[in-house]
Amino acid sequence: MASVEIEARVKSERRLRYISLVVLYFAICIPIKGASDTIVFATGSWCPYICPETLSDEGINDEPGFVVEIVREILNEYGHQIKLAIVPWSRAIRGARNGSYDGLLGTVPATVPEMIFPERGQSFYHMCFFTRVDSTWEYEGVKSLTSVRLGVVQDYDYDNGGELDQYIQHEINGYWVIPISGEDKDALKTNVRRIEQRRVDVIIDGREVIDYYFKDKEKTVREAGCISRDEMYVAFSPMNDRAKEYAEILSNGMVRLRASGKLEKILAKYGVKDWQ
């Protein structure tokens, strides 16, 4: 009798485990559509991640940047449309915080810790240092920055709140760190111009961004070392009642997009490889 009860209990546990796995599969792999709406993201220009120069008045074109394509692909599965508000980065942050926008494209928790983030990133960033081509300076840790004038953009986080960001915050009102306003829509172009005109010695930006910027022009900067590669996210305004729902959709959607091969195809259009 005891052996029969044990066998029955084992069968029951297996059945429950099977049901749990099926439920988990459907939760992650099969999108369940809810109420559709238009989600407005505030963002700046950061090609090939986000390319506002390719946007039309009617909507988003075929190559708006790979982050835009990733987010659009996932949210469209649920009937959601996306719209971009191209504004200076400092204004984008303020607007997302107060609910003027539904979220931010391309940020990290250190920048806006109060916002709602997906568990899985929608992109990556690989920050590198760039000098004029005639410079021999190389990045060898934060201490090596104390002898050069570093050009940065206000309100940017470069290593997710790490040692570099701490150094920048400590020195930003001094001689060695020279910021440009986060209200500058052409921050990258401004920073490149500053280094060409010798107003700063070093700038820091994404490797992919610099390569894309110079793809059709003579490169006037050289790479002088990089910091670690980190994931980058879409963040949703805590003022939006559906923020957690959207974040979960994007997180689970990254699993499906990667498994289906669609992520690889999107990235390939921009000459970028999967970061995982």
Side-chain angles (χ1 to χ4, degrees):
M1 178 68 78
S3 63
V4 173
E5 290 179 354
I6 291 173
E7 184 178 352
R9 191 182 307 119
V10 169
K11 287 182 178 179
S12 177
E13 290 176 353
R14 286 176 178 170
R15 191 179 301 113
L16 287 172
R17 190 178 301 119
Y18 174 76
I19 292 171
S20 298
L21 289 172
V22 171
V23 170
L24 180 62
Y25 170 81
F26 277 92
I28 292 179
C29 297
I30 307 297
I32 301 173
K33 292 179 172 62
S36 62
D37 54 10
T38 298
I39 303 170
V40 181
F41 292 106
T43 186
S45 175
W46 217 47
C47 265
Y49 297 82
I50 302 152
C51 306
E53 59 266 29
T54 66
L55 304 184
S56 69
D57 292 337
E58 292 77 25
I60 299 171
N61 287 338
D62 291 336
E63 294 191 8
F66 67 83
V67 171
V68 179
E69 290 205 41
I70 288 169
V71 174
R72 177 178 59 184
E73 179 74 26
I74 294 172
L75 290 176
N76 279 181
E77 280 190 275
Y78 290 78
H80 302 307
Q81 303 300 312
I82 70 170
K83 184 177 180 181
L84 304 186
I86 308 301
V87 296
W89 188 238
S90 294
R91 195 182 309 168
I93 292 173
R94 290 196 302 272
R97 280 174 171 157
N98 65 30
S100 298
Y101 307 114
D102 297 310
L104 293 171
L105 281 187
T107 188
V108 294
T111 302
V112 280
E114 72 279 15
M115 294 186 70
I116 310 300
F117 285 82
E119 288 185 13
R120 299 176 181 89
Q122 286 65 63
S123 182
F124 70 98
Y125 65 102
H126 195 191
M127 288 294 179
C128 297
F129 297 88
F130 297 89
T131 70
R132 290 180 297 278
V133 292
D134 60 353
S135 172
T136 59
W137 180 89
E138 293 287 338
Y139 179 70
E140 297 176 347
V142 170
K143 288 184 179 179
S144 64
L145 293 170
T146 57
S147 61
V148 292
R149 295 168 298 166
L150 177 65
V152 300
V153 182
Q154 190 175 0
D155 293 329
Y156 273 31
D157 278 289
Y158 292 98
D159 67 343
N160 204 8
E163 188 179 13
L164 174 60
D165 285 335
Q166 293 173 33
Y167 168 78
I168 290 171
Q169 288 304 311
H170 185 265
E171 298 289 341
I172 201 161
N173 293 318
Y175 176 78
W176 297 112
V177 175
I178 306 172
I180 58 174
S181 173
E183 298 289 339
D184 189 341
K185 270 191 174 183
D186 296 316
L188 172 60
K189 186 183 296 185
T190 300
N191 243 353
V192 169
R193 188 165 58 246
R194 290 201 301 169
I195 201 166
E196 291 172 344
Q197 296 173 351
R198 299 181 180 272
R199 293 160 58 195
V200 297
D201 303 309
V202 181
I203 60 173
I204 179 170
D205 215 312
R207 172 187 282 167
E208 290 73 19
V209 175
I210 291 291
D211 287 346
Y212 192 91
Y213 179 80
F214 283 105
K215 70 175 185 174
D216 295 323
K217 55 175 75 77
E218 181 183 357
K219 199 168 187 177
T220 57
V221 299
R222 59 174 278 275
E223 188 177 299
C226 302
I227 55 179
S228 62
R229 176 183 291 191
D230 290 300
E231 284 202 302
M232 190 161 56
Y233 300 82
V234 171
F236 293 96
S237 172
M239 306 297 288
N240 190 305
D241 293 337
R242 302 183 70 181
K244 290 183 179 179
E245 175 191 343
Y246 296 149
E248 186 175 358
I249 286 173
L250 277 180
S251 191
N252 290 338
M254 290 303 298
V255 177
R256 292 194 303 276
L257 210 62
R258 188 168 271 116
S260 69
K262 288 183 179 178
L263 177 62
E264 184 179 2
K265 289 181 180 179
I266 290 173
L267 296 175
K269 289 171 60 176
Y270 301 89
V272 178
K273 293 183 178 181
D274 191 349
W275 56 98
Q276 289 191 0

